[in-house]
Amino acid sequence: MIGGFPMYPFEHDAMRTDKLRAQGGKFEGSWRVLLAFVVMLLAAPAMALAQDQPASPDVNAHPSLWHIKGEQGEVYLLGAVHVLPSNVHWRTPPIVSALSRSDVFVFEVPEDQAAMTELQDLIQAHGYLPTGQSLRAQLQPKDQADYDAAVTASGLPAALVDRERPWLAGIQLMFAQMTKMKFDAANGVDSTLMAEAAKNQKQMRYLETIAQQFALLAPADQGLEMQEFESGLKDLRDVEDDIKPMVDAWDIGDQAALDKLINGDLDDYPQARKLLLDDRNRRWVPKIEAMLKQKHIFFITVGAGHLTGPVGLPALLRADGYKVAGP
C-alpha cells in the first residue's frame, strides 16, 4: 500500500501548478487533501511504529455498500477507510452477507511480499537524501523549530527522519500522529479483508500496481517539495480535527458529507483532481464492467473517496446504464 506527506504529500506536478496559479506562488498549510488520500483515497502503508494504546469504547460503523448485477456476474462495492482504530466495527449484516457470497476479492493494489519488496525498492531509490545531506540543515532557519517539535512529538529517531526526503519524512511524521490517535493501517478495511481472502485462499485481483500509485507520490520538483514540507509542519496539530469528521461521515454512510470532506478540497485544483481521482475512476470502470460479464461474484474494496459524488464509481456505472443498488 502507498502513502505520502508534506503539505500535500500526494501531490503530482499538476496539483503544484494549480496551487501556484491559485495562490500567486504562495503555499498555504492545509492537511485535508493529505488526510483524504491517506484515509479514504490512496492505500497507505503503516510506516510509523505502532504504540501500545489504552482501550477505547467500541464504535459500530454502518458504511455504505453498493451492489450491481451484470450479464453474468455481480459486484459489491465497499468504500474503505485505509487506516482505522481497532475499536471500529464495520461488518454490518449486509456486508457480512456480501462477503459470504463473493468468490473474488478486488483491491486497489497488492500487499503480498513481492509488492512490499517493490515498494521498499522504490522508497530506497526515491525516498532518501544523498549521503551526507541533512533534512534539518536544508530547512529555512525559521522552520527548524517547528521541524524539531514535530520530530520530538512523533517519537521517531531524529537521525532516521533527518536522512529522508521531505515527502517520506512527512509520511513518517503524519503516521506517528495518527498512531497516537490509535489509527493503524493494519486495522484498515482493505488490509483486513485482504488478509482474510489470502487466509481463505480466495482469488484476488487488483485495479492498479504499486508503481502506478507510487508515481503519484514522489514529486519531480524537489524545490517545491521542500517548500510544501516546510509550510505544512505547523499543521500537524490539526490532524485530529480534520480526520474525525471524515471517519464519522464514513461510519454513518453519509455520502454527501464524505464527498464534501474528501473531494471538496480537490475542486480547487482541477488538474490534480483529474489525475488523482477522476482519471483513476474512469480507468477502473471498464475493468468493473468486464467483471460483470464473468460468472463470479466480486467484492471490490477501494478508498471511500472513489465512491462519492458525480464522478464516483457508482455514478459512473449508473451513467453507463447499470442499475446500482445503494446510495
Side-chain angles (χ1 to χ4, degrees), residues 137-322:
Q138 294 182 21
L139 297 172
Q140 297 183 65
K142 67 181 180 63
D143 295 311
Q144 289 179 345
D146 290 330
Y147 171 83
D148 292 341
V151 173
T152 299
S154 75
L156 297 170
L160 171 66
V161 181
D162 196 46
R163 295 182 50 243
E164 295 171 343
R165 276 182 55 180
W167 73 264
L168 182 58
I171 292 177
Q172 299 280 33
L173 296 173
M174 178 65 86
F175 270 99
Q177 293 295 320
M178 296 179 75
T179 297
K180 290 184 176 182
M181 296 162 54
K182 308 175 189 177
F183 282 75
D184 190 336
N187 300 324
V189 175
D190 43 355
S191 291
T192 299
L193 292 179
M194 200 177 299
E196 291 179 2
K199 179 179 178 181
N200 296 325
Q201 298 184 323
K202 296 289 187 179
Q203 183 183 158
M204 287 188 279
R205 300 184 190 179
Y206 309 98
L207 297 170
E208 293 179 329
T209 66
I210 291 289
Q212 285 174 324
Q213 286 207 351
F214 190 87
L216 300 173
L217 306 182
D221 189 325
Q222 296 187 21
L224 286 176
E225 176 188 1
M226 179 61 75
Q227 292 178 57
E228 292 163 2
F229 179 74
E230 291 173 330
S231 68
L233 285 170
K234 289 183 180 294
D235 293 321
L236 280 170
R237 59 181 174 268
D238 298 327
V239 171
E240 185 168 6
D241 289 342
D242 286 334
I243 194 172
K244 189 176 185 301
M246 286 191 285
V247 177
D248 286 349
W250 176 82
D251 283 349
I252 62 174
D254 188 339
Q255 295 304 308
L258 273 177
D259 187 48
K260 182 178 180 180
L261 290 165
I262 296 171
N263 302 328
D265 284 304
L266 281 176
D267 288 340
D268 294 331
Y269 313 111
Q271 293 184 51
R273 180 188 175 98
K274 179 178 182 297
L275 193 78
L276 299 171
L277 180 65
D278 298 354
D279 286 354
R280 294 171 71 206
N281 284 357
R282 290 190 170 95
R283 285 195 299 268
W284 294 353
V285 165
K287 297 181 180 182
I288 296 172
E289 292 178 349
M291 294 175 196
L292 290 165
K293 297 176 182 178
Q294 303 172 35
K295 292 183 178 180
H296 290 287
I297 300 178
F298 297 87
F299 195 99
I300 301 177
T301 307
V302 296
H306 291 287
L307 304 180
T308 68
V311 291
L313 294 176
L316 294 176
L317 289 165
R318 286 172 178 140
D320 282 353
Y322 289 92

